[in-house]
Amino acid sequence: DTLWDLAIAEVEKRENPDDDGKHVEVWEKSILFMGSKNGGKTTIILRCLEREETPKPTLALEYTFGRRARRHNAPKDIAHFWELGGGTSLLELIRIPISSHNIKSFSVVLVLDLSKPNELWTTMEKLLQVTRNHVKKILTKLEKANPGVATEIKQRMRNNLQRDHPDYELVDPFPIPLVIIGSKYDIFHEFDSEMRKIISKTLRFVSHYYGASLVFTSKSEALLLKARVLINHLAFGYDKSKSLSVDHSKPLFIPAGLDSLSQIGPPPASDSEIGKLRANTPLELWKKVFEKTFPPKSFCDLQDTKDPAQDLQYAEYEVDAMRAQKNQELEQYKRNASNSWKEMDLDSD
C-alpha cells in the first residue's frame, strides 16, 4: 500500500470504529444557488453549513462543501454547494457545475430578492430558462446512453404530486429538484398589503407550476431555519418538513406538492383585464398580470457590467503585468492577421 492508501484507511477507521469492515454508501449531492444579485445567497449557504463568517460578494462561480453523518459513527455524506454570482450576468457558467455525471443528484436553489419586485420576474425567468434548457440537453443525451436514469429523473419530479392531485396534468415540473427562496422578507413585510399579496400569489403559482418548494426568509434566525430545512433535505436527505404556511400576511413556507391551483386562486386581476391579455400558457398569463403591477427592468439593466479583472481588490502585480503583455500580443496578432488577409490575392483566373 502507498502512504496515501494507509492514510485513507486510518481516517476511515477513526471515523467508523464500529464498522467492522462493512461498506456503508456515502451519499454525494450537489446544489446550485443562483438568483438576485445581493439577494443573500452566500448568507443562506453559510447558515446551512453553520459557519460563522461574514458574507463576501460572490465572484463569478464559487464552490464549497459540507459534510453530515446520518447517524453516530457513520461515514459522513457530502454536499457540494455551488453559487452563481452576478445575478443574471453570468448565465453561461451554469453549465459548469451541472453535468451528466451528477445530474441524478443535482438540485437548484433560486434566491429572489422580495424587496425588488421589478427585477423579480426577469431574474427568475432568465435563470430558470437557461438552467432548464441545459438540463434538458443533458437528459436528451442520457436517454440515448442510459435511458433508465433519464426516465428515473423525470418520474422523480412527477412524483412530487400524487397522481390523484387535481393539478397533476396542469403543471410542468422543473426537470430537477427546485427550491425558490424569497429573501429580505423583513423589507418585503413593510410593503403595501396588496403588493405583498400579488407577489406572494405569483410566487406560489410559479413554485407549484414547477413542482418546487417555496419559502420566505430574512436574516431572522427563525426564518433562516425554515430555509435550512428545505436545503438540508436536498443536500443530505433529511426528512421533508410537513409544516405549511400559505397566509399572505406571514412568511410563506410551502414544500413541493402541498399547494394547489384552487387554493392559490386566479391571477390578481379583474376578469375584464385578464380577457384583454393575450397569453398562450398559464405561466405567461401570470407573468403579464404581475408585470402590469411591477413593470420589469430590462435584461440589460440587470447585467453586471463591472469587470472583476479591473477591480482593485483582486489586483496582483505579476498576474496583471502578464495579462497586459498577453493583451498587447493579442492586439499585435490581430493587426498582423488583418494585414495578411488584406494582402492576399483573391482574384480568380
Side-chain angles (χ1 to χ4, degrees):
D1 288 346
T2 66
L3 182 61
W4 282 115
D5 293 330
L6 295 172
I8 292 171
E10 179 64 23
V11 171
E12 289 179 346
K13 183 178 179 181
R14 290 180 184 180
E15 290 190 347
N16 311 289
D18 301 323
D19 197 29
D20 295 329
K22 295 178 182 177
H23 174 70
V24 180
E25 183 182 4
V26 174
W27 291 355
E28 283 195 50
K29 305 285 186 178
S30 298
I31 303 177
L32 172 62
F33 288 77
M34 59 187 186
S36 304
K37 188 181 178 184
N38 300 320
K41 299 181 291 295
T42 305
T43 299
I44 293 169
I45 292 173
L46 291 175
R47 293 304 300 126
C48 285
L49 298 176
E50 299 178 359
R51 293 181 187 170
E52 300 295 334
E53 301 174 21
T54 302
K56 298 177 182 177
T58 301
L59 179 65
L61 183 67
E62 295 192 2
Y63 168 82
T64 188
F65 69 94
R67 303 177 73 206
R68 295 281 191 281
R70 274 171 273 173
R71 59 181 183 277
H72 182 61
N73 288 335
K76 292 182 178 179
D77 297 325
I78 303 170
H80 305 281
F81 289 79
W82 296 87
E83 182 184 357
L84 180 70
T88 57
S89 63
L90 300 167
L91 293 171
E92 68 277 5
L93 295 181
I94 285 174
R95 67 179 187 272
I96 294 175
I98 311 177
S99 69
S100 57
H101 301 293
N102 63 14
I103 190 67
K104 190 177 178 182
S105 59
F106 210 98
S107 306
V108 169
V109 173
L110 176 66
V111 180
L112 299 172
D113 188 340
L114 295 174
S115 71
K116 299 177 180 177
N118 298 85
E119 299 178 10
L120 192 149
W121 191 285
T122 304
T123 298
M124 173 178 67
E125 184 176 56
K126 288 293 179 182
L127 288 169
L128 291 183
Q129 188 179 55
V130 172
T131 305
R132 184 168 200 154
N133 289 342
H134 177 60
V135 171
K136 282 189 171 182
K137 287 180 182 177
I138 292 175
L139 292 178
T140 299
K141 292 180 180 178
L142 265 181
E143 284 175 345
K144 298 176 182 177
N146 196 335
V149 172
T151 301
E152 181 185 340
I153 292 171
K154 292 178 180 179
Q155 189 57 48
R156 178 182 62 186
M157 294 311 300
R158 270 286 170 190
N159 290 341
N160 276 336
L161 277 188
Q162 300 294 326
R163 284 190 172 274
D164 58 355
H165 194 289
D167 304 334
Y168 188 80
E169 298 296 336
L170 302 176
V171 298
D172 184 17
F174 204 69
I176 55 179
L178 172 65
V179 169
I180 297 178
I181 297 179
S183 66
K184 302 188 181 180
Y185 178 79
D186 49 337
I187 301 174
F188 171 77
H189 188 59
E190 301 300 321
F191 284 8
D192 172 78
S193 62
E194 193 59 31
M195 290 173 63
R196 294 203 313 269
K197 184 177 180 181
I198 293 171
I199 296 170
S200 296
K201 285 190 68 170
T202 300
L203 288 179
R204 280 183 66 185
F205 172 80
V206 171
S207 299
H208 183 60
Y209 186 76
Y210 283 135
S213 297
L214 175 65
V215 59
F216 284 0
T217 189
S218 69
K219 292 182 179 179
S220 157
E221 194 62 33
L223 293 184
L224 279 171
L225 183 60
K226 289 194 170 187
R228 282 180 59 190
V229 168
L230 294 176
I231 294 169
N232 280 334
H233 171 69
L234 298 178
F236 302 107
Y238 288 9
D239 290 340
K240 285 184 178 180
S241 173
K242 294 181 180 178
S243 63
L244 184 70
S245 175
V246 296
D247 186 344
H248 297 148
S249 64
K250 299 177 181 178
L252 298 181
F253 182 83
I254 311 173
L258 297 187
D259 213 341
S260 69
L261 295 176
S262 61
Q263 288 180 321
I264 296 169
S270 66
D271 291 342
S272 59
E273 287 178 321
I274 291 177
K276 295 175 184 177
L277 298 174
R278 293 183 179 180
N280 296 320
T281 65
L283 193 65
E284 191 177 337
L285 176 61
W286 276 83
K287 174 184 177 180
K288 291 190 173 185
V289 171
F290 182 82
E291 291 184 341
K292 196 168 185 183
T293 305
F294 304 105
K297 286 191 175 183
S298 69
F299 183 53
C300 293
D301 292 338
L302 298 177
Q303 293 282 342
D304 186 7
T305 54
K306 281 182 63 179
D307 182 357
Q310 307 302 323
D311 195 324
L312 292 179
Q313 69 173 314
Y314 303 116
E316 291 186 49
Y317 176 75
E318 292 85 356
V319 175
D320 294 339
M322 180 58 71
R323 177 178 175 138
Q325 178 185 328
K326 293 299 180 184
N327 284 341
Q328 288 179 352
E329 292 175 1
L330 177 60
E331 289 304 316
Q332 185 62 45
Y333 173 80
K334 288 179 178 178
R335 286 194 291 270
N336 293 342
S338 177
N339 291 335
S340 299
W341 177 260
K342 290 176 182 177
E343 292 169 2
M344 289 178 66
D345 182 7
L346 300 179
D347 293 336
S348 56
D349 295 331

